Amino acid sequence: MAKYYITTPIDYVNAKPHIGHMYCDIAADVLARHYRQQGRDVLLSTGVDENSQKNVEAAEKQGIPVQQYVDGMAETWKKAFDDMDITYDSFVRTTSKEHEKAVQAMISAMQAKGDIYLGDYEGYYCVGCEEFKAEKDLIDGKCPIHKTEPKIIREKNYFFKLSNYRDQLLQWYADFPEAVQPASARNKMLSYITDEIQDISISRQSQKWGIRFPNDEEHAVYVWFDALINYLTVTGYPNEGYETWWPADVHLIGKDIIKFHCAIWPAMLLSAGLKLPNTIFAHGFFTINGDKISKSLGNAIDPQELVEQYSKDVLRYYLLREIPFGSDGDFSFDRLKQRYNGELANGLGNLVSRTLAMVEKYEISINNPQEISQQGQELIQKTGQYIKHFSFDKALTEVWNYIAVLDATIDSAKPWELAKAGKTKEIEKILSEVVRGISAIGQALESLLPDTAKTIQELVTAQPLKKPSEPLFARKD
Ligand code: MSP
């Protein structure tokens, strides 16, 4: 059976997850459910990035040992993904023994290739980004993302000869035009690789927290270098059998971390003699008044609160429909409510309840309510294609266009008037068409809105069919 390995970034655990983090995991979950439905053997990995200095600072603030802090936070994050029904198969923690082994194996392979050397580093470092910064990356001397002044660092570091991989990377981009998506990310990276690529520091001297550099206890492996390797840890690397899953079919990431994933990571893999991922897709940011939603800017929105107020599917619907995956967009509670009332309560919810209410009221028996018409097949096929191409908004739009078609079918046939005229056969024909259409909608939504799809499935298989005992989405005022 063909495999499908999909990864999400592993998050820093210096605070609780916000909707920006959950966004990527929801998208990954849609893909995972979709490919499982297609019969593929899926591995969905997520997890936490524990060796960061940010986590050390967060533990210090709480006055507890770092290990104890990250142990607790790993549970918090795992629970957040569980509560959202993210169907991950692997939850990786970078303080685990397996991960340490994978990191050390990869560094050894790169050392054997002659790609690692000891040098002096002097420059800026933003702990918020966990990134070495050049002067030109700063605005008024501050990191534009975290709005803080970076530290100045002077120390011995191990370096990776990234610049040696410039031509091979450009060749990879030329050979696989779909490897880095969307075009905005690809173009940015092509210009970075062409004009700016240089060797990078991959260790931090005297840093106590983090994976030890092979044969040099004084250095910790640079946290990004360690974190990227999690994608291999999950496959069992360096143990035999890791090729069952490697290379990844898709790395989903946020647009702020493209340099790490679309230049440094492929170069690391080339250096270690490993295959490159098939696709890397960078999504955009959720913003509030134009600022990235972020724990450090203090504008984070807790996904759990929205789930309590609405539901998991409502949050999934809003995040996936509001903004094309790959673009940025503002998060707005008003827009969420508008979409909820307009598209979920009045749109889908109303179609399902009025259709089934009429079936019940006019005592219509529907043969094969789950039989999918040609139009229904097309809907399922089209939504599947959109999902495959990361166009979740278009997949949902397609379903909602079909809801409008079914509503129009009812409105023009006016079953209530047919009932007055005693035209039972005609009512049966119209309502059968709509009920089967609803079944198709249920199938098309299986990976996008799994709870709603399940409810629809239960409603259309009930004997006899009857109006839902409570609305799928109750209107909110
Ligand atoms: N630890 C690194 C990732 C290592 S992967 C080998 C990291 N962690 S993070 O916690 O800062 O961010 C994790 C992911 O969340 C990133 O892909 C980032 O783009 C995403 N998001 C964080 N805030 C976001 C929004 N406001 N909107 C959308 N996604 C955002 O980076």
Side-chain angles (χ1 to χ4, degrees):
M1 194 200 302
K3 62 95 183 168
Y4 190 82
Y5 174 29
I6 172 168
T7 72
T8 72
I10 49 170
D11 305 290
Y12 297 125
V13 293
N14 54 328
K16 289 193 306 185
H18 61 65
I19 55 159
H21 304 115
M22 206 45 92
Y23 182 44
C24 193
D25 285 79
I26 289 175
D29 180 67
V30 172
L31 288 167
R33 288 176 191 258
H34 172 74
Y35 282 103
R36 286 192 201 108
Q37 218 179 314
Q38 303 282 301
R40 302 270 287 263
D41 203 359
V42 171
L43 172 60
L44 166 57
S45 82
T46 191
V48 281
D49 192 348
E50 298 185 328
N51 295 319
S52 162
Q53 221 26 53
K54 289 150 80 97
N55 303 337
V56 176
E57 288 174 4
E60 276 166 4
K61 259 196 208 148
Q62 288 194 11
I64 56 174
V66 197
Q67 188 64 54
Q68 185 186 332
Y69 174 80
V70 296
D71 286 347
M73 286 307 273
E75 282 312 308
T76 303
W77 279 72
K78 200 164 182 227
K79 182 168 180 314
F81 294 134
D82 289 338
D83 289 346
M84 260 323 276
D85 281 346
I86 304 297
T87 55
Y88 59 85
D89 302 287
S90 159
F91 186 89
V92 67
R93 294 188 54 187
T94 52
T95 51
S96 68
K97 278 280 160 241
E98 305 84 67
H99 179 65
E100 184 180 338
K101 186 173 162 195
V103 171
Q104 291 183 336
M106 181 129 185
I107 294 180
S108 302
M110 294 170 69
Q111 276 172 329
K113 183 84 177 285
D115 281 342
I116 291 178
Y117 61 92
L118 192 60
D120 292 298
Y121 181 84
E122 180 169 350
Y124 296 108
Y125 191 87
C126 170
V127 176
C129 298
E130 284 286 19
E131 193 177 352
F132 300 93
K133 298 273 183 191
E135 190 109 38
K136 69 166 185 47
D137 299 329
L138 310 176
I139 297 177
D140 296 333
K142 289 184 176 166
C143 162
I145 297 175
H146 294 92
K147 320 225 156 127
T148 49
E149 278 180 21
K151 290 184 177 171
I152 294 180
I153 286 177
R154 277 181 209 91
E155 59 184 31
K156 281 246 170 284
N157 281 180
Y158 284 95
F159 285 80
F160 167 41
K161 288 185 188 167
L162 178 61
S163 57
N164 274 7
Y165 288 90
R166 181 178 176 278
D167 294 349
Q168 280 187 68
L169 287 174
L170 291 176
Q171 193 58 50
W172 179 59
Y173 273 72
D175 291 345
F176 300 98
E178 306 272 279
V180 173
Q181 298 183 44
S184 51
R186 175 182 159 81
N187 294 338
K188 256 195 199 146
M189 283 299 98
L190 276 172
S191 100
Y192 166 76
I193 296 166
T194 309
D195 302 327
E196 293 179 45
I197 202 165
Q198 52 184 357
D199 294 355
I200 54 156
S201 161
I202 58 162
S203 76
R204 296 294 317 278
Q205 196 184 22
S206 309
Q207 198 166 284
K208 298 269 176 309
W209 182 248
I211 296 176
R212 297 296 97 195
F213 211 84
N215 305 318
D216 195 341
E217 284 286 307
E218 203 201 343
H219 288 251
V221 176
Y222 168 43
V223 65
W224 259 105
F225 200 80
D226 132 22
L228 288 162
I229 300 170
N230 92 83
Y231 303 132
L232 278 168
T233 306
V234 171
T235 66
Y237 176 86
N239 302 329
E240 239 172 70
Y242 77 90
E243 302 96 329
T244 310
W245 292 104
W246 192 256
D249 291 84
V250 59
H251 292 311
L252 288 189
I253 57 168
K255 68 171 192 177
D256 52 337
I257 55 178
I258 50 176
K259 195 170 82 190
F260 296 104
H261 285 82
C262 309
I264 299 175
W265 177 230
M268 287 164 66
L269 291 164
L270 287 168
S271 169
L274 299 166
K275 289 188 183 155
L276 304 195
N278 294 339
T279 310
I280 307 169
F281 192 102
H283 62 75
F285 284 162
F286 267 99
T287 56
I288 287 190
N289 302 326
D291 270 332
K292 180 186 173 202
I293 292 179
S294 119
K295 45 208 170 201
S296 45
L297 296 182
N299 60 0
I301 297 170
D302 183 346
Q304 198 50 41
E305 278 171 27
L306 291 172
V307 169
E308 275 158 27
Q309 204 181 337
Y310 290 94
S311 72
K312 288 179 290 231
D313 273 9
V314 175
L315 181 58
R316 283 170 88 103
Y317 180 79
Y318 177 74
L319 294 182
L320 297 173
R321 176 98 195 245
E322 180 74 0
I323 297 159
F325 205 59
S327 310
D328 293 341
D330 243 24
F331 182 94
S332 143
F333 287 96
D334 286 345
R335 290 283 301 147
L336 169 56
K337 192 162 160 190
Q338 252 173 35
R339 283 199 179 274
Y340 175 82
N341 280 332
E343 291 152 26
L344 292 168
N346 290 355
L348 177 59
N350 189 42
L351 171 71
V352 172
S353 58
R354 76 167 170 154
T355 304
L356 294 176
M358 285 189 281
V359 171
E360 192 177 343
K361 180 167 174 199
Y362 306 134
E363 297 177 353
I364 303 293
S365 82
I366 311 261
N367 284 332
N368 301 326
Q370 286 177 282
E371 193 182 292
I372 306 290
S373 66
Q374 177 70 23
Q375 233 183 346
Q377 297 287 5
E378 279 167 20
L379 171 76
I380 295 166
Q381 218 249 337
K382 267 197 203 158
T383 45
Q385 281 304 315
Y386 281 132
I387 290 172
K388 209 169 139 192
H389 293 103
F390 314 102
S391 299
F392 309 109
D393 60 321
K394 291 204 174 108
L396 288 165
T397 304
E398 202 63 40
V399 176
W400 260 256
N401 289 342
Y402 190 52
I403 292 173
V405 168
L406 296 178
D407 268 330
T409 305
I410 300 177
D411 292 342
S412 72
K414 300 190 177 54
W416 46 94
E417 288 184 5
L418 297 175
K420 278 188 216 148
K423 295 182 175 168
T424 315
K425 274 271 163 262
E426 285 181 39
I427 306 180
E428 200 177 294
K429 184 168 164 281
I430 295 297
L431 292 184
S432 294
E433 187 185 326
V434 179
V435 169
R436 289 184 192 138
I438 291 173
S439 292
I441 288 174
Q443 282 193 36
L445 289 179
E446 252 176 59
S447 53
L448 293 155
L449 308 180
D451 291 345
T452 308
K454 193 163 164 255
T455 306
I456 292 178
Q457 165 76 4
E458 281 162 11
L459 287 168
V460 296
T461 48
Q463 298 261 349
L465 294 185
K466 52 178 188 315
K467 189 176 182 265
S469 51
E470 53 187 72
L472 261 66
F473 304 97
R475 260 195 77 85
K476 286 192 194 285
D477 296 313

